[in-house]
């Protein structure tokens, strides 16, 4: 049986033309002979960038708030499987794609985006995307430090601690692998791992990683399985050993995805899946023996 999954979040960036300012009525529409721009171009660009930053901050707050709401509602009736998959990724790349998609679909939106980012209206795709990527990164950094971001993150951590107490393990994808990744590859735009890394990662979450070396003892991430497969494995481990806590589940998966001799992480294959199942059985037997001795 597949673990129950919360509905994915579908969110499309509103039209950039409704977010960024148009030229003021006082601004002359003709271009000057010196710089080729209207006298108010710098002011319009500054206003546009400020509005874009606010829109990006609000997008992060809305996205994280909706995840908190979905998790809270599910916990009211979690079922018996002890696992829930969350097919939502909130990352710099996923948020950037919402604006990028709008700019590619509507010429007016592209013009406004270029204005807000301080780029020429005829800037090529790679240049515009690089500027958008930098702006989104700065907005994500600002959100983490903001009172709004701190408050919603606290609510997120609190609901995850309730999942820990209820022995229901949330499972997520640790990275975005959607259209923005393909766009960057097409345009030759390079980026670091943080660009696609999900902001939903938390020590209480179990996540799919991009490569075996990702993750740690506090943030358990495994490679080699899909989100549905990892959720199903967690549910199966819970049936093999109903006494497993969330922390024990994560520890078992961390151990199964680590080569103890070489001290290297490895992807989960059939052999590793069978190993973690046997570990769950052994732990149950130890608990039963301990109970009989006592």
């Amino acid at each position: 049986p597949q673990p129950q999954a919360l509905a994915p979040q579908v969110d499309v960036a509103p039209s950039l033309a409704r977010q960024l300012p148009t030229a003021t009525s006082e601004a002359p529409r003709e271009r000057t002979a010196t710089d080729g721009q209207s006298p108010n171009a710098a002011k319009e660009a500054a206003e546009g960038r400020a509005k874009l930053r606010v829109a990006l901050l609000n997008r992060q707050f809305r996205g994280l708030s909706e995840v908190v709401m979905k998790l809270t509602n599910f916990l009211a009736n979690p079922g018996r499987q002890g696992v829930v998959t969350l097919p939502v990724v909130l990352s710099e790349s996923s948020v950037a794609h919402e604006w990028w998609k709008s700019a590619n679909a509507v010429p007016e939106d592209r013009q406004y985006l270029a204005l807000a980012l301080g780029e020429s209206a005829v800037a090529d795709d790679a240049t515009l995307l690089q500027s958008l990527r930098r702006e989104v990164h700065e907005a994500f950094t600002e959100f983490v430090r903001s009172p709004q971001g701190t408050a919603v993150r606290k609510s997120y951590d609190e609901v995850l601690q309730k999942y820990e107490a209820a022995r229901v393990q949330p499972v997520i994808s640790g990275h975005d692998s959607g259209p923005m990744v393909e766009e960057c590859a097409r345009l030759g735009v390079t980026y670091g791992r943080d660009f696609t890394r999900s902001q939903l990662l938390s020590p209480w979450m179990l996540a799919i990683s991009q490569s075996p070396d990702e993750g740690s003892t506090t943030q358990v991430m495994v490679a080699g399985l899909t989100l549905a497969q990892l959720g199903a494995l967690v549910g199966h481990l819970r049936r093999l050993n109903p006494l497993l806590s969330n922390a024990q589940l994560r520890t078992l998966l961390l151990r199964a995805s680590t080569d103890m001799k070489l001290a290297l992480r490895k992807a989960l294959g059939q052999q590793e899946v069978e190993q973690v199942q046997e570990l769950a059985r052994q732990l149950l037997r130890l608990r039963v023996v301990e109970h009989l001795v006592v």
Side-chain angles (χ1 to χ4, degrees):
Q2 293 297 315
Q4 188 166 352
L6 298 187
Q9 174 185 333
V10 178
D11 204 335
V12 178
S15 171
L16 293 174
R18 296 196 297 272
Q19 295 182 57
L20 307 182
T22 57
T24 58
S25 58
E26 294 82 6
R29 299 309 302 170
E30 67 275 6
R31 296 185 179 274
T32 65
T34 55
D35 59 5
Q37 294 182 343
S38 68
N40 277 352
K43 178 182 177 182
E44 293 169 11
E47 291 175 349
R49 199 177 196 97
K51 288 193 175 185
L52 176 59
R53 177 62 60 86
V54 170
L56 288 169
L57 293 173
N58 287 340
R59 173 63 184 87
Q60 293 174 73
F61 178 79
R62 187 172 69 254
L64 194 50
S65 296
E66 289 178 357
V67 170
V68 171
M69 180 183 67
K70 291 177 184 295
L71 288 170
T72 301
N73 292 340
F74 177 80
L75 196 57
N77 185 23
R80 299 181 180 180
Q81 292 185 340
V83 60
V84 59
T85 58
L86 188 65
V88 176
V89 176
L90 182 62
S91 65
E92 294 178 19
S93 58
S94 65
V95 170
H97 180 257
E98 295 175 9
W99 269 262
W100 184 248
K101 181 171 61 175
S102 177
N104 276 337
V106 184
E108 184 183 19
D109 283 1
R110 184 185 178 92
Q111 181 180 356
Y112 276 113
L113 182 61
L115 171 70
L117 294 174
E119 298 291 348
S120 166
V122 294
D124 60 75
D125 283 358
T127 299
L128 191 59
L129 181 55
Q130 282 282 33
S131 293
L132 175 61
R133 187 184 63 81
R134 287 192 293 268
E135 178 64 26
V136 170
H137 174 71
E138 292 175 7
F140 268 68
T141 301
E142 180 179 340
F143 179 74
V144 172
R145 300 193 300 261
S146 69
Q148 185 183 41
T150 301
V152 71
R153 186 71 195 196
K154 181 181 178 182
S155 298
Y156 179 63
D157 288 341
E158 287 174 350
V159 74
L160 289 182
Q161 290 178 52
K162 293 178 181 178
Y163 271 75
E164 197 80 355
R167 292 200 300 177
V168 177
Q169 179 62 63
V171 181
I172 62 171
S173 295
H175 288 270
D176 170 35
S177 58
M180 182 50 73
V181 174
E182 298 175 2
E183 273 295 273
C184 287
R186 179 180 71 85
L187 298 172
V189 174
T190 59
Y191 55 86
R193 186 175 280 179
D194 287 346
F195 183 57
T196 60
R197 188 177 176 89
S198 177
Q199 298 301 303
L200 300 178
L201 284 170
S202 163
W204 296 289
M205 282 288 194
L206 181 61
I208 298 291
S209 63
Q210 284 185 324
S211 60
D213 65 327
E214 194 175 9
S216 64
T217 55
T218 54
Q219 178 59 73
V220 179
M221 303 178 71
V222 297
L225 299 179
T226 66
L227 181 64
Q229 288 172 337
L230 181 57
L233 176 58
V234 170
H236 184 58
L237 294 176
R238 277 257 150 83
R239 289 191 294 276
L240 292 175
N241 186 347
L243 301 180
L244 286 175
S245 67
N246 286 6
Q248 288 173 323
L249 271 170
R250 295 191 296 269
T251 299
L252 289 179
L253 286 163
L254 177 65
R255 180 174 177 179
S257 59
T258 303
D259 188 319
M260 298 300 180
K261 293 182 179 179
L262 301 177
L264 296 174
R265 299 297 306 286
K266 57 184 178 179
L268 286 179
Q270 185 59 38
Q271 181 179 350
E272 288 72 30
V273 169
E274 292 174 358
Q275 177 189 354
V276 75
Q277 292 175 4
E278 181 56 30
L279 288 172
R281 295 188 188 98
Q282 289 178 8
L283 192 57
L284 178 59
R285 287 194 292 267
L286 288 173
R287 290 289 299 274
V288 171
V289 171
E290 179 184 359
H291 177 73
L292 290 176
V293 172
V294 174

